[in-house]
Amino acid sequence: MKALEMKGITEVVGREVPEIGGGFGVDKKSMLARDIAEFHNKELIHVNEAINNNRYRFIDGVDIIDLKGSEFVIDLVDNNILSKMQVAKSKNIYLLSERGYAKLIKIFNDDLSWEIYDKLLDEYFEIKDEVEVDDELALALQLNKQIGIALQEMAVHKVEITEVKEDVRRLADKVEFEVLDEDVRASEIAHHLGLTTAKSGNAHNQLVGAIAKGLGFKVGYQRRYKDEYIKIVEHESFYQVYYRPSGADRIINWFEENKDIISYQEYYSQISKYGNEGDLKERGYIVNGVKYKTYIAKYK
């Protein structure tokens, strides 16, 4: 940020405003957001809110300077531009260049704001500090200004187009990973096959997941993912695997074809507090070398 200086008080559109120079370069005029709010008959809090909601559009040192915490605020207080209470209560004390003001008007985007903008350009921003120029130079400066405004408009539209593209991308992404009625979780497949855990009797999700891994499904990814068999969707704090119809069918068909091969049963070899000799101790299925119990004997 270039050195700021108080150049006095000037009257603009019937109001007295502090003329602050230096912040954005030689002969670059600026205006406090407070004064802009008064010209546009808006509350300062709403003007600051409009800026903060679109802060990424404003380039520091080119479009805007936040004076909060700067030494120049002391000059504003000493010159009775702001009170100590106003400074203390303000989260931001924005100073805008002509370019920054133009961006703010684009955000306001109402007829009255554009009308006030034109008046401030004519009576403040476009008036140079006691510099005489000939007609050719004046024309060149005017053309340069018009080109600058056109480039600013192009930059704003470019940002808007980028935002639209991002919105479209997010929408397409949401549609791609939308959970459909035909998508099912492991618990639903387990219930369909009658697979429950030995202790709690809940759906045996781990057994279904083991079968899915054995079939080569990418169920272990901790990120969004989608293929012809599964869909991994991001929720607020976790990733949930959903099986698409082709994936659910493969798991069900594989289990029906292999359940006799992978099943196991264990019996008591002698009397115990859990059962008599020859009684069923536990049963389940072995997948990839791991036992998944679907029954275990309880106390007699």
Side-chain angles (χ1 to χ4, degrees), residues 45-62:
I45 187 173
H46 295 145
V47 173
N48 283 344
E49 186 178 66
I51 294 172
N52 289 330
N53 288 342
N54 297 272
R55 192 63 177 82
Y56 63 95
R57 296 180 187 271
F58 295 88
I59 301 174
D60 288 319
V62 176

Side-chain angles (χ1 to χ4, degrees), residues 61-222:
V62 176
D63 303 322
I64 197 166
I65 297 171
D66 190 352
L67 301 176
K68 180 71 175 184
S70 70
E71 293 183 359
F72 187 70
V73 170
I74 299 174
D75 291 341
L76 295 178
V77 173
D78 290 343
N79 285 275
N80 296 317
I81 307 301
L82 296 174
S83 68
K84 291 182 178 179
M85 181 62 70
Q86 287 174 317
V87 172
K89 292 177 66 176
S90 299
K91 291 183 179 180
N92 306 101
I93 302 174
Y94 286 129
L95 180 71
L96 285 86
S97 66
E98 179 183 347
R99 170 182 156 130
Y101 178 39
K103 290 186 177 181
L104 183 60
I105 293 301
K106 181 72 175 177
I107 295 168
F108 289 163
N109 196 27
D110 59 76
D111 291 340
L112 179 60
S113 293
W114 285 108
E115 183 180 336
I116 298 297
Y117 172 69
D118 288 338
K119 291 181 178 179
L120 289 184
L121 285 187
D122 292 339
E123 294 193 24
Y124 182 66
F125 283 107
E126 290 188 352
I127 297 177
K128 304 303 178 184
D129 293 334
E130 299 180 358
V131 176
E132 294 184 0
V133 294
D134 58 28
D135 292 341
E136 291 185 2
L137 179 57
L139 178 60
L141 290 172
Q142 181 63 26
L143 289 174
N144 184 62
K145 178 172 183 58
Q146 291 175 352
I147 292 171
I149 293 174
L151 290 174
Q152 290 173 20
E153 289 292 320
M154 290 173 62
V156 170
H157 287 308
K158 184 177 180 181
V159 170
E160 290 175 346
I161 291 171
T162 301
E163 289 175 346
V164 171
K165 287 182 178 179
E166 182 62 21
D167 288 341
V168 171
R169 187 198 66 76
R170 283 195 293 264
L171 180 59
D173 198 53
K174 181 178 179 181
V175 171
E176 182 181 4
F177 285 92
E178 182 180 4
V179 179
L180 307 177
D181 290 339
E182 62 187 17
D183 299 326
V184 297
R185 291 181 292 186
S187 59
E188 295 172 88
I189 298 176
H191 280 307
H192 176 79
L193 295 173
L195 301 176
T196 57
T197 58
K199 291 185 178 181
S200 64
N202 294 328
H204 213 314
N205 299 339
Q206 290 182 323
L207 177 52
V208 173
I211 295 172
K213 286 182 180 179
L215 291 171
F217 295 178
K218 311 297 185 182
V219 294
Y221 286 174
Q222 289 298 305

